[in-house]
Amino acid sequence: MRGGAQYGFIISLDTQSSGSTPDPDRPALRERIYRVAEDAFLKAGIGGARLAQEDRGDGILAVVEPRRPEALVGEWTEYLHQNLRQVNRELSRPLRLRAGLGVGPFTPDDDGFSGAAVDLACRIGNCEEAKAVLAGLSDAPLLVAVTDRLHHDVVRHGGRWIEPAHYRRYRLRLKEGEQQAWFTVPGRGAPPPEPGAGESAQPAGRDARAARDAGSGFHFGNVTVSDSAQAFQGSFGDITIEHRRGGSGSGEKR
């Protein structure tokens, strides 16, 4: 395949801790990767939208037509997450994947395809920061990393199964220098802040308040519980409750 530069959505899919998989188990590992990914493409309605795809041994590198971006960022990743949950019910050693998503030009040739946008999608999905976040969430089967550009153009606007508040910005140390990317863990929301991070550790938009609440306790709906239940307030139906340490609880009908 030859041709000039084209434009598309880039997906880099890698297996977490694949190096510890014994050789006899690798064919079954690869079969599962393709099964969960291909089914997600079909369910998201983009099974025939791929412009190119390469096998990566313990993963897949693909380019999808630049249409329906929400189907890739929202639907495909959620179907992939649910497929992983399903297949892992049968396994003593769960299949865990990292997906790097980007957008930009790529150039196909007889041996595959290349481009800076391709490299970046691969880097953010396979970086040490992404590996460390997923390693720290042992019950999560999937981490999704998107480029800063894809976050700006697609994620921050929301859409079907796209929750901007569930993404957290990370500064990555890559071969090309420091880059920014956004991580999310489907089923878990925004991952923990990177160590020593400042403002960049905050989730986007409306999750800022939830992040502050989480620092001191729990927040659900209009109810905040903080400081080990030493203080809490909120509304339950038509009941308003406010209690603070050293004071008395009260219930008032509205």
Side-chain angles (χ1 to χ4, degrees):
M1 177 177 62
R2 291 182 179 276
Q6 302 179 44
Y7 190 89
F9 289 99
I10 300 155
I11 301 170
S12 174
L13 201 59
D14 286 291
T15 303
Q16 180 86 344
S17 303
S18 62
S20 61
T21 303
D23 280 354
D25 296 338
R26 289 180 181 266
L29 170 68
R30 286 166 47 78
E31 187 276 330
R32 292 186 191 104
I33 295 169
Y34 274 88
R35 190 199 322 167
V36 297
E38 291 293 335
D39 184 74
F41 278 122
L42 292 175
K43 287 179 178 176
I46 52 178
R50 273 165 289 181
L51 300 173
Q53 184 166 303
E54 292 182 8
D55 179 79
R56 289 300 178 98
D58 62 348
I60 299 170
L61 180 61
V63 182
V64 179
E65 291 177 4
R67 58 182 174 89
R68 293 190 63 219
E70 74 284 353
L72 173 62
V73 178
E75 297 176 37
W76 182 79
T77 57
E78 182 55 31
Y79 283 128
L80 180 64
H81 171 228
Q82 295 301 330
N83 288 347
L84 284 168
R85 292 184 64 208
Q86 180 65 38
V87 76
N88 282 342
R89 291 172 186 167
E90 310 164 3
L91 302 175
S92 58
R93 177 176 175 168
L95 173 61
R96 309 178 71 213
L97 300 176
R98 302 182 311 275
L101 307 182
V103 61
F106 71 101
T107 302
D109 56 38
D110 291 337
D111 299 310
F113 53 93
S114 61
V118 177
D119 291 344
L120 184 57
C122 293
R123 300 263 199 268
I124 65 172
N126 198 40
C127 66
E128 293 304 317
E129 292 84 352
K131 293 177 181 178
V133 168
L134 191 55
L137 301 171
S138 60
D139 59 341
L142 177 65
L143 177 139
V144 178
V146 304
T147 63
D148 198 39
R149 178 177 180 183
L150 188 55
H151 182 275
H152 181 273
D153 291 348
V154 178
V155 173
R156 72 186 181 96
H157 301 289
R160 178 172 165 83
W161 299 341
I162 300 175
E163 294 288 347
H166 290 177
Y167 285 76
R168 193 182 297 276
R169 184 173 57 185
Y170 279 72
R171 292 190 178 95
L172 311 180
R173 293 163 291 280
L174 307 179
K175 291 182 179 180
E176 296 83 357
E178 187 175 279
Q179 298 279 343
Q180 291 189 152
W182 297 77
F183 293 175
T184 186
V185 181
R188 296 288 296 268
E194 55 186 327
E199 182 181 354
S200 67
Q202 295 298 328
R206 60 183 179 178
D207 200 43
R209 176 183 173 185
R212 290 193 298 270
D213 292 339
S216 58
F218 305 96
H219 176 80
F220 44 99
N222 294 319
V223 181
T224 300
V225 180
S226 60
D227 295 329
S228 301
Q230 302 280 346
F232 58 89
Q233 61 182 0
S235 298
F236 299 82
D238 60 352
I239 302 293
T240 298
I241 297 176
E242 181 172 359
H243 175 82
R244 296 184 181 279
R245 180 172 52 190
S248 61
S250 64
E252 178 185 358
K253 280 277 190 179
R254 285 188 173 185

